[in-house]
Amino acid sequence: MGVMIGIGFYVRREGSRSGTGFVKNYFIGNHNLGGFVLAMTTVATYSSVSSFVGGPGMAWQIGFGWIYMAVVQVTAIFLVLGVYGKRVALLSRRLEAVTVVDIIRARFNSDRLAGLAAFIIVLFFCATMTAQFVGGAKLFAAVTGYSYEMGLLLFGLTVVLYTAIGGFRAVALTDTCCAIVMMVGIVLLLYYVLQAGGGYENIMNTLHADHPEMFEPLSAGHMPLTLYLTQWILVGICTIALPQSVVRGISYKDTKGLHQAMLIGTVVVGFMNIGINFTGILAHGVLTGPLESYGGVDNIIPKTIVTAMPPSLVGFAIIGPLAASISTISGLLIVASSAIIKDVYLHAKKANGERVSDKKLRLLSMAATGVIGVLVFFIAVTPPSLIWIINMFAFGGLETAFFWVLLLGLFWRKANKAGAILAMAGGTFIYVLPMLGKMLLLLTSAEWATAFAEALNWSPFGLHRIVLGLAVSLICFIIGAYKGKPTKEETLALFFPGK
C-alpha cells in the first residue's frame, strides 16, 4: 500500500514536469500507455474482488458448471479492445476527447445525453466500488484477525489517496503491479490447496464420491441454461460497453501496443479466471463441511487461505484478492471523477466562455475523487452480503445504458440523438425497476406493496434483468432513430469519414 501511494506521488511529479495539459495527463495518461501496461490495467480493472472471492465461492458450491459459465470472460479484453480500441483512439485524437462521455456528446450533439451518461456512470460505479470495499475489508478481517472496519480503513483510504494524487497513469501502473501479484497469488494458493487436500487425484475422487453433480454442466439444476445465457451476456459480450474498459482504448500509445494488449490481456484474464475458479472447486479438499459452517460463499476463499497456507505466506496470499479490489476501485474512481469534473463541470464552464486554470482543475479533480471514495467508504461501513450479486447488478446497469449507445453510435450512421436518449433512459429505467420495488418494501410491508414489487421484478423465462433492459433499449433506439431528427452531416463526416 505504501508503494502504491509512492507511485501516486511519483506520477504526479512526472506529470507536472511533462508540460502537457493537466486534463489529458490526469484522466487518460496523455495517450501514452504501452501494450503490457494497457493489458494489465484493463485486466486488473475488469477482475474485481468478486472474481477472487464471490466467484470461487460459487464454484465451490456449484462445481464445474460455474467454470463453464465463467470461461466466457476470457474473451472480454479481446472484445473490448478489438471492437472499440482503435475506433475510440482515433476519435479521441480527432475530437480532443478525454472520456467516453466526450465521444458520446460529440457523436449525438447532446449535453442532456452526456449529463445522463455521467450520472449513470457515477451511480453504478458507486455500487460497484461498495462491493469492492466490502469484499476487500471482509477478506482482510477474515485472514488477519483485525476488525472489518480496520481493513476498510487501511486499504480503502489508501486507494482513494493514491488515485486522487496520481490520476489515470498512477492507476495504470498500480494496476499492472496488482495484476502481477494476482497471478502469483493464484499460483501459490493453488499449490497449497492441492497439497492440503492430498493431491489433485485425491480431491477429484472425493468429489466424485460425495458431490457427483458438481461435474455436470447443469449441476443438478443449480446452473440452468437461462443462467448460462444471461451470464454469457452479462460478463461476456456486453462487457465491451463498460465505460471503465472502453476508456482504456483512449489511453494507448500506438496500434502495436493495442495488438499486444489484446493478446496479453486475453491470456492473463483466462489464466486468472479459470485458475481462481478451479481453485475454488479444489478447496473442497480443504473445507469439507457444509456451506453454512463457513458463513456463506464469500467466506470460502478467505477460509481456504487461512486453512491451507502456512502462516508466513497468508499475508502475501491476501494481496491477490486485495489487489483485485484495489485495482477496480482505482479504475472506477478515476472515471467517476472525470464524469463529474471533465464531462459536467469543465464542459459547462467552456460553454459559458470561462477558462479554468490547471491548478484549479487539479484541486477539483483530486477533491472529486476523494469525495466519491470517502462516500463509498462510509456506505461500506455497514456491509451488504453477496458481493458478486451487487457487482453483477452494477455491471448490468452500465451495460444496459451504454451497449447500444456506443455500438450503434460508433458503427451506424443512422443512429441519432433521439434514439440514444431513449435507449439509455428507457433501458436503464426498465433494468432498475426491481430495485425500486425493493426500496418500496423497505418503506412498507403491505400486501399491495409486495405484489407490486413482484410485478416489477418480472423477467421473461426467469432470465437476468439485463436481457429485458437490452431489448427495451434496442427497441427505443430504433424508434428514436427512425422518428427523430437525423444527425447533422458535419458530425457524421467526423465519425464516418469517406462515407
Side-chain angles (χ1 to χ4, degrees):
M1 292 182 182
V3 170
M4 292 178 177
I5 293 175
I7 289 174
F9 279 106
Y10 168 77
V11 169
R12 180 182 176 182
R13 187 184 67 182
E14 291 300 308
S16 62
R17 290 177 177 177
S18 66
T20 55
F22 167 77
V23 171
K24 282 187 178 180
N25 254 322
Y26 190 82
F27 291 122
I28 56 170
N30 202 29
H31 299 293
N32 204 32
L33 295 191
F36 182 74
V37 175
L38 175 62
M40 291 298 124
T41 185
T42 309
V43 168
T45 300
Y46 177 74
S47 301
S48 64
V49 72
S50 66
S51 302
F52 281 78
V53 178
M58 292 299 297
W60 184 92
Q61 182 183 23
I62 290 172
F64 284 91
W66 188 262
I67 293 183
Y68 303 149
M69 179 275 293
V71 75
V72 71
Q73 296 179 59
V74 174
T75 64
I77 308 303
F78 192 89
L79 284 175
V80 71
L81 294 179
V83 173
Y84 289 126
K86 191 171 183 178
R87 187 97 169 97
V88 298
L90 292 173
L91 287 171
S92 69
R93 287 161 172 80
R94 190 180 303 153
L95 302 168
E96 290 293 309
V98 174
T99 68
V100 174
V101 177
D102 278 342
I103 294 174
I104 290 174
R105 176 185 279 116
R107 172 63 180 89
F108 297 107
N109 296 309
S110 174
D111 287 340
R112 184 179 300 174
L113 177 63
L116 177 62
F119 172 75
I120 289 172
I121 284 174
V122 174
L123 176 67
F124 286 111
F125 276 15
C126 284
T128 304
M129 284 188 284
T130 299
Q132 306 313 305
F133 273 117
V134 171
K138 277 187 174 181
L139 180 68
F140 184 88
V143 173
T144 64
Y146 286 97
S147 67
Y148 169 83
E149 291 75 16
M150 178 59 72
L152 193 63
L153 184 67
L154 280 177
F155 93 91
L157 294 186
T158 297
V159 67
V160 172
L161 183 60
Y162 82 73
T163 305
I165 293 169
F168 183 86
R169 189 156 183 81
V171 169
L173 293 177
T174 52
D175 280 355
T176 302
C177 298
C178 287
I180 294 171
V181 169
M182 286 183 228
M183 289 188 286
V184 174
I186 290 171
V187 172
L188 281 175
L189 182 57
L190 178 59
Y191 171 79
Y192 283 105
V193 165
L194 286 171
Q195 188 179 70
Y200 176 78
E201 188 174 350
N202 182 60
I203 296 173
M204 288 294 107
N205 289 337
T206 303
L207 280 177
H208 269 292
D210 298 340
H211 305 283
E213 76 283 355
M214 292 182 67
F215 294 87
E216 301 172 7
L218 301 182
S219 189
H222 294 294
M223 286 293 297
L225 291 176
T226 53
L227 182 58
Y228 273 100
L229 175 62
T230 53
Q231 289 299 307
W232 284 343
I233 293 172
L234 190 61
V235 298
I237 299 168
C238 288
T239 55
I240 64 173
L242 292 173
Q244 65 267 37
S245 298
V246 176
V247 75
R248 264 63 187 170
I250 299 177
S251 61
Y252 72 86
K253 183 164 45 177
D254 51 37
T255 304
K256 180 182 177 182
L258 173 66
H259 293 163
Q260 288 176 343
M262 290 170 65
L263 294 175
I264 295 170
T266 300
V267 171
V268 172
V269 80
F271 168 78
M272 291 200 299
N273 178 272
I274 296 172
I276 192 62
N277 283 308
F278 187 50
T279 302
I281 295 175
L282 294 176
H284 270 279
V286 180
L287 306 179
T288 57
L291 179 62
E292 295 75 21
S293 64
Y294 304 115
V297 294
D298 289 342
N299 292 322
I300 294 298
I301 287 299
K303 296 284 186 184
T304 301
I305 291 173
V306 173
T307 306
M309 298 193 70
S312 58
L313 288 176
V314 166
F316 183 83
I318 68 167
I319 294 177
L322 285 178
S325 176
I326 287 170
S327 59
T328 301
I329 293 170
S330 61
L332 299 180
L333 268 177
I334 200 67
V335 178
S337 172
S338 69
I340 294 172
I341 300 302
K342 172 66 178 66
D343 298 325
V344 178
Y345 172 79
L346 188 58
H347 179 77
K349 289 293 183 181
K350 286 183 177 180
N352 292 331
E354 301 177 36
R355 186 181 179 278
V356 183
S357 67
D358 278 358
K359 182 178 180 180
K360 186 174 182 179
L361 275 177
R362 181 180 292 109
L363 291 174
L364 288 173
S365 299
M366 291 173 63
T369 304
V371 168
I372 295 170
V374 171
L375 174 64
V376 174
F377 171 86
F378 281 111
I379 294 173
V381 169
T382 305
S385 59
L386 290 177
I387 300 162
W388 74 275
I389 291 180
I390 302 170
N391 210 46
M392 290 302 100
F393 171 75
F395 256 45
L398 291 166
E399 290 165 359
T400 301
F402 288 95
F403 185 79
W404 297 118
V405 171
L406 286 173
L407 189 65
L408 298 180
L410 296 182
F411 296 100
W412 188 37
R413 286 177 60 91
K414 203 167 180 61
N416 62 2
K417 178 171 70 174
I421 291 176
L422 286 174
M424 185 174 287
T428 305
F429 177 72
I430 291 297
Y431 180 81
V432 301
L433 275 180
M435 188 59 64
L436 298 178
K438 291 177 181 178
M439 293 172 65
L440 175 64
L441 290 178
L442 292 176
L443 300 176
T444 176
S445 57
E447 188 174 334
W448 69 267
T450 303
F452 186 62
E454 288 177 357
L456 292 180
N457 199 36
W458 177 85
S459 190
F461 309 109
L463 295 170
H464 190 280
R465 194 72 182 185
I466 191 175
V467 177
L468 187 59
L470 285 173
V472 171
S473 180
L474 177 59
I475 293 169
C476 289
F477 203 121
I478 293 172
I479 291 172
Y482 284 96
K483 295 295 183 180
K485 292 181 180 179
T487 304
K488 296 177 181 178
E489 284 300 321
E490 51 265 36
T491 300
L492 294 177
L494 284 172
F495 282 81
F496 303 96
K499 292 186 180 180

